[in-house]
Amino acid sequence: SAIQTLVTRLDAVSGAGVWRFINPDLSTGQINALGTDAIKVGILYRPARVTPVGTTAVANTGAFGLFSTGSGQTGRNRPALAQAFEENGVARGRFVVVANHLKSKGSDCADNVSPVGPDPDRGDGQGHCNLTRTAAATQLANWLATDPTVSGTANVLILGDLNAYAKEDPITALLAAGYANLNLDFNGSADYSYVFNGRWGYLDHALASPALRVQVVDVKHWHINADEPVVLDYNLNFKTTPQQSTFYAADAYRSSDHDPVVVAIALDTDGDGLPDRLELALGSSALDVDSDEDGLVDGAEDVNRNGVVDGGETSPTNRDSDADGLADGVERGITAGVADPDGSGPLGGTSLAIFVPDADPASTTNPVNADSDGDGYTDGQEDLNLNGRLDAGESNPVSGSSFPVQTRAVPSLGAVSAVLLLLGLWLVIEQSRRRATATRIG
């Protein structure tokens, strides 16, 4: 097959077994699960990075199946292929990739009968078969909402040539279903992937579900095709034999008429705001939103999300960042731990067996300054029971004018000096008294 040939040639460059492809016929037990057209969608992956999980799913009915037309049955939108992957490593984050290729604008659908009726070019700028594409987009969103891969993840990435520009009905339908237009979000309205009769725009889309959107870090169209002259493309039409050789170059340029879209994702399995790769660098858990059980979400501690504990930040791996005896969450006035994101699932929240909530959130101390009020005593020495509240017998850790009425700490150097001075005076007086007594007796 063409996709097997592609994988074989990629491996010839990258090394044996570096690339694999999803075989929907083998996975679903269907023959020609993706239809019989010469053009089909496909998914390639690198097994060293990710592992397919769940069920390989194909949408090949309804708007993705055969259409009844005035001249018989025919395909319109090519069947969609969905596969869930799990990231290799400790966190094992999951996401679903959906490959699509909707009906082109190049030929009409005016003789449609069902599942979409007559669908001519309506002169609204969206070209032929707009209703046909829109029906597929709506069906796609509804299908994905049922978790067809049985993977249990809400991280979904829709990719492919949807043959619709950013403001056309098929894209609007997917946006209405909650998906984000990543091309627009990262590159603005001037982004493009295709040129037709001197007009530029993008038909090649990347749309993310709400859960995945916050984990996408960059998106780019790789401009290797749309900018290049047509004469350099893969077609042999109207080229002499010498021209076929002259115009060919063993590079990526004009390997298609569309530019590919590249999406960079930093998975955050536990949803704590820190990508898994950063959690591994920090030593925090990618499966626990509060790794150090201090009542704070890990991502709220590494504020700039760089995997380093910088000045002013608390550590997501040390529940008492300033070593004053008080947990970071207590110092910030946290009255409840971070909830477990998935109940009895593999993810974890704050353990209330370890974290003692703040009993007075209105009074907070500095979690990166052991002595918030600068009175010579650590906050934990003043808040004796470590509950964040000023109780009887305690001094106030945010008021330098207070002093401990009882402490577990060694007194200050000034207090020690005063005691030693008084003790020295007492010894001098006592020695003088004893000498006087001895003289009288003698």
Side-chain angles (χ1 to χ4, degrees), residues 12-35:
V13 176
S14 305
V18 171
W19 291 94
R20 291 181 187 169
F21 70 94
I22 298 299
N23 186 335
D25 287 9
L26 180 64
S27 301
T28 65
Q30 302 178 41
I31 298 175
N32 292 321
L34 295 177

Side-chain angles (χ1 to χ4, degrees), residues 28 32 51 54 60 83 86 116 189 208 237 241 278-279 299 305 341 374 383 408:
T28 65
N32 292 321
T51 300
N60 55 13
Q83 178 64 60
E86 188 171 82
V116 177
S189 59
N237 307 44
T241 299
L278 286 185
E279 299 229 50
R305 311 289 200 272
D383 183 4
R408 299 166 302 192

